[in-house]
Amino acid sequence: MRSKALRRAALAAGVGALVAMTSVSIVTPVKAQPATMQSIANTTAPAGAGADWAQSQVAALVQAAVSSGATGAQLADAIASLLANNPSLAQEITGAIIDASKGGVPGVAANSSLTASLATGVAIQVAVWQQTSGTSPVSQAALESVNQAFASADVSRGSDFATNFNSALSNEGGALAPTVLTSEDAVVEVVTTFIQKDETGNISPNT
C-alpha cells in the first residue's frame, strides 16, 4: 500500500487549481486545513438532516477550499472528515459529492481537478470504514450507504469520478467488490465487510 504521504504529494502536484473560472490557485505545499474548512468538515449533522444539509456542506467545503487557496489533498481530507463525522448520512453526502463533481457548486465550476479531490476524499474514508467493517456495524452500514449512492447516481467504473476513486481506494488499502472488475460499465461497488488477512503465519480462515 502506498503511503498517505505519497498520495498527498501526488494530489498536490497534480491539482494546480480547483477552478479554472476563478483566479484563486491551489497552493502546492501541503499544509494544515484552513480553519473554515476544518470547522465545516468537523460538523455533525443536526437531527433530521438529509440531502439538503449534505448538499450545503459539500458546497461550503468546496467554496472554502477555493477561497482559502487550499490544496487538492486538503479538500480530499476535509471531504473524508465530513463523511467520518456523519456515517449515518454517508449516502446523502456521497450523493452530494458526486453531484458536485458533475456540476460544480455555486461559484465553482466542475473540472477534473475538483473531481479528483472529491473522489479521493470519498475513497480515503471508505478505506477507513473497510478496515473496521468486520467488527463495526456502523462502518458496514456506511459502506452500504456509499454503494447506494453510487447506484443511485449510476457511477460506472469507467467514469472520471470512478477512475479517481478506484485509484485512491487502492492506494489507501481499500477494495472494490469483485463483480465491479468485470466491466467498465459496471456501477462502482465497494466491499462492505473487509476481513483482515492474518499476517502471523497461524492457520486461520483469513489466510
Side-chain angles (χ1 to χ4, degrees):
M1 180 180 70
R2 296 170 64 184
S3 68
K4 289 188 178 181
L6 287 176
R7 185 260 304 164
R8 287 169 183 245
L11 263 181
V15 169
L18 282 178
V19 188
M21 298 291 290
T22 72
S23 59
V24 180
S25 296
I26 297 301
V27 180
T28 299
V30 176
K31 56 185 179 182
Q33 290 182 16
T36 302
M37 283 181 64
Q38 187 172 8
S39 63
I40 297 168
N42 291 338
T43 300
T44 301
D52 289 344
W53 180 87
Q55 293 278 358
S56 67
Q57 293 301 110
V58 171
L61 269 182
V62 173
Q63 291 161 348
V66 172
S67 64
S68 64
T71 65
Q74 286 175 313
L75 176 56
D77 285 341
I79 288 293
S81 294
L82 182 63
L83 285 163
N85 286 310
N86 298 280
S88 64
L89 288 176
Q91 180 176 355
E92 290 82 357
I93 295 172
T94 303
I97 291 167
I98 294 167
D99 287 345
S101 75
K102 293 178 178 178
V105 300
V108 182
N111 61 81
S112 59
S113 295
L114 177 60
T115 294
S117 296
L118 294 174
T120 298
V122 178
I124 292 168
Q125 188 54 37
V126 163
V128 172
W129 281 329
Q130 285 185 331
Q131 296 301 317
T132 58
S133 61
T135 57
S136 170
V138 171
S139 294
Q140 189 169 353
L143 292 169
E144 292 170 353
S145 294
V146 170
N147 281 340
Q148 290 170 359
F150 286 152
S152 295
D154 196 25
V155 179
S156 65
R157 190 168 70 91
S159 66
D160 288 344
F161 186 93
T163 298
N164 285 283
F165 173 82
N166 298 348
S167 176
L169 184 65
S170 177
N171 290 341
E172 294 291 326
L176 295 174
T179 53
V180 179
L181 304 178
T182 60
S183 170
E184 289 292 315
D185 296 327
V187 173
V188 173
E189 182 180 357
V190 300
V191 173
T192 57
T193 303
F194 198 82
I195 301 175
Q196 292 289 339
K197 184 177 180 180
D198 185 354
E199 301 291 352
T200 65
N202 297 328
I203 296 175
S204 78
N206 292 341
T207 56

